[in-house]
């Protein structure tokens, strides 16, 4: 009997040990994912603070390098935040000064995802004031955002989108230049096939733009929808020099703007064209365009100095034709030339239009 009891007790002890081992193993797998997640969170947090520290160091080093080049950037009350998945740099105001050139903006917030640091998206608040002591640009908008996608060897592309922008330029022409639109976009990238020319591609689009100078040229006060694709050669980054010096550098280097596509719609007036623009020796715009147009009797009237004659010439050139859907039909027009400060369409010089030197 004693032996039986001992055997029973021994058997009971084995069962308890096995139960303890099974319970301990099941608890390990129960808590392992939580522990692993906690370790990952700690590692990620540490990595984010390291990235934040490096971002601050690089910003400070960049500002110091810019200061050595004579460009003074000011970002009061700068903050760096965005934990855990992005890095946000916020300036309550942002300003730049170099020599006679100065610029100021409202609040600027730049954001980059931790896993995509080369793509930086920035939201900019106005107003904008940019001046070189002679030319002054002022601007306001409802919303403005930019994106810059960098590559290891430099800029890959940059974009700007603005809602309800309104800009005025003084000092560049005898009278103030003003423009506004409901929506504006601009995209920039280096041209990979024309790198030796220092060429950049620019695509611009604007909806419901108000351009008084265009109203005077082709008639009508309707807003304008515009699309423009160009390639500018001999283009360089902003050096902080006055605008007139930048323009003169570009002109002296034989810089040119190749207009690959121009599309303009203003009420029932339409124009499509391509050509090239540059600056002549007297610093005036010059160039030539091949165009097709519809409803431009007003421009022809300006060219001849007589509205009736413009309407007659327009009829002879096919203006007023309608396509199958009833819309104005685009018809090839005589070449549009900008030469010696004058605007000419074919043999007709537009009276009263004199392009003054830009600087």
């Amino acid at each position: 009997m004693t032996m039986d009891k001992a055997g029973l007790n021994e058997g009971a002890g084995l069962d308890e040990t096995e139960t303890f081992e099974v319970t301990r193993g099941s608890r390990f797998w129960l808590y392992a994912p939580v522990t692993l997640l906690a370790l990952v969170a700690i590692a990620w947090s540490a990595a984010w603070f390291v990235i934040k520290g490096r971002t601050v160091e690089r910003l400070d080093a960049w500002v110091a390098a810019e200061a050595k080049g004579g460009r003074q950037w000011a970002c009061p009350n700068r903050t760096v935040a965005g934990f855990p998945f992005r890095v946000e740099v916020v300036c309550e105001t942002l300003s730049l000064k170099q020599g006679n050139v100065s610029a100021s903006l409202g609040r600027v917030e730049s954001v980059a995802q931790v896993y995509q640091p080369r793509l930086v998206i920035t939201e900019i608040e106005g107003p904008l004031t940019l001046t070189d002591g002679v030319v002054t640009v002022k601007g306001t908008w409802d919303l403005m955002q930019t994106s810059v996608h960098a590559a290891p060897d430099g800029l890959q592309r940059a974009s700007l989108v603005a809602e309800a922008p309104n800009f005025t330029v003084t000092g560049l022409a005898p009278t103030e230049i003003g423009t506004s639109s409901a929506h504006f976009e601009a995209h920039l990238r280096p041209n990979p096939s024309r790198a030796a020319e220092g060429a950049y591609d620019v695509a611009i689009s604007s909806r419901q733009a108000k351009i008084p100078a265009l109203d005077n040229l082709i008639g009508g006060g309707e807003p304008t929808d515009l699309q423009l694709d160009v390639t500018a050669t001999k283009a360089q980054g902003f050096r902080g020099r006055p605008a007139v010096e930048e323009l003169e550098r570009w002109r002296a280097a034989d810089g040119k703007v190749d207009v690959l596509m121009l599309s303009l719609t203003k009420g029932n007036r339409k124009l499509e064209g391509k050509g090239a623009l540059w600056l002549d020796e007297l610093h005036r715009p010059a160039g030539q365009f091949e165009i097709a147009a519809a409803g431009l009797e007003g421009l022809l009237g300006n060219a001849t100095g007589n509205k009736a004659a413009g309407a007659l010439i327009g009829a002879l050139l096919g203006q007023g034709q309608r396509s199958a859907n009833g819309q104005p039909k685009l018809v090839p027009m005589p070449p549009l030339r900008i030469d010696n400060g004058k605007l000419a369409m074919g043999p007709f010089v537009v009276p009263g239009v004199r392009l003054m030197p830009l600087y």
Side-chain angles (χ1 to χ4, degrees):
M1 291 295 293
T2 303
M3 293 180 57
D4 291 342
K5 289 181 180 180
L8 289 173
N9 291 336
E10 183 178 353
L14 289 174
D15 291 342
E16 290 175 359
T17 302
E18 291 175 358
T19 302
F20 175 75
E21 291 177 352
V22 171
T23 302
R24 182 174 61 182
S26 63
R27 287 179 179 176
F28 171 79
W29 291 111
L30 176 64
Y31 293 115
V34 177
T35 303
L36 181 60
L37 183 61
L39 292 174
V40 170
I42 293 171
W44 184 274
S45 300
W48 185 89
F49 281 102
V50 170
I51 293 172
K52 174 186 175 182
R54 290 179 178 176
T55 299
V56 172
E57 290 176 0
R58 289 174 181 174
L59 282 173
D60 291 341
W62 181 80
V63 170
E66 287 286 287
K68 290 181 179 179
R71 292 175 289 275
Q72 303 292 332
W73 291 89
C75 171
N77 302 320
R78 185 184 71 186
T79 60
V80 181
F83 180 82
F85 298 115
R86 59 185 186 177
V87 176
E88 302 174 357
V89 179
V90 178
C91 296
E92 291 304 322
T93 61
L94 181 64
S95 62
L96 166 66
K97 184 172 180 57
Q98 181 182 16
N100 294 329
V101 178
S102 63
S104 64
L105 290 163
R107 187 176 188 271
V108 177
E109 179 179 352
S110 296
V111 177
Q113 302 294 337
V114 172
Y115 51 84
Q116 199 175 13
R118 295 188 185 276
L119 176 60
V120 179
I121 298 174
T122 302
E123 184 168 322
I124 304 170
E125 295 182 3
L128 162 71
T129 300
L130 171 65
T131 182
D132 63 357
V134 178
V135 179
T136 300
V137 179
K138 293 187 177 181
T140 60
W141 50 86
D142 289 345
L143 174 68
M144 180 178 290
Q145 292 181 326
T146 68
S147 65
V148 177
H149 199 158
D153 57 347
L155 175 68
Q156 184 174 358
R157 67 177 181 271
S159 300
L160 181 149
V161 178
E163 301 293 341
N166 189 324
F167 290 90
T168 59
V169 182
T170 56
L172 190 62
T175 58
E176 180 180 275
I177 301 172
T179 182
S180 63
S181 67
H183 178 84
F184 176 85
E185 291 187 19
H187 306 274
L188 169 74
R189 68 162 191 173
N191 187 308
S193 63
R194 302 177 67 179
E197 301 176 79
Y200 282 77
D201 297 330
V202 181
I204 295 173
S205 65
S206 181
R207 294 201 312 265
Q208 301 294 295
K210 296 181 180 180
I211 310 173
L214 191 61
D215 298 345
N216 297 331
L217 180 62
I218 67 176
E222 301 93 342
T224 302
D225 291 340
L226 174 70
Q227 289 187 329
L228 179 65
D229 290 339
V230 305
T231 297
T233 63
K234 308 299 181 182
Q236 293 185 359
F238 175 67
R239 298 294 182 87
R241 295 178 294 217
V244 294
E245 293 185 21
E246 292 287 354
L247 286 172
E248 178 58 19
R249 178 206 61 79
W250 180 74
R251 186 202 66 81
D254 294 326
K256 184 173 65 172
V257 177
D258 293 324
V259 180
L260 309 177
M261 189 275 289
L262 168 64
S263 176
L264 182 151
T265 302
K266 180 178 174 62
N268 63 355
R269 304 163 185 83
K270 295 184 179 181
L271 182 146
E272 292 183 359
K274 59 181 180 179
L277 280 172
W278 57 90
L279 295 177
D280 65 18
E281 293 182 355
L282 297 181
H283 311 151
R284 299 170 301 192
Q288 182 166 323
F289 291 86
E290 297 176 2
I291 63 173
L296 292 192
E297 294 86 352
L299 177 59
L300 294 172
N302 288 335
T304 60
N306 186 297
K307 291 184 178 180
L312 177 59
I313 295 173
L316 293 174
L317 293 175
Q319 294 293 291
Q321 295 186 30
R322 298 279 175 173
S323 59
N325 60 5
Q327 296 298 316
K329 184 179 180 180
L330 289 169
V331 177
M333 301 286 287
L336 185 66
R337 293 178 291 109
I338 306 173
D339 189 25
N340 292 322
K342 299 177 182 179
L343 180 65
M345 178 172 285
F348 301 103
V349 175
V350 179
V353 176
R354 293 292 182 269
L355 301 179
M356 304 300 293
L358 297 181
Y359 54 94

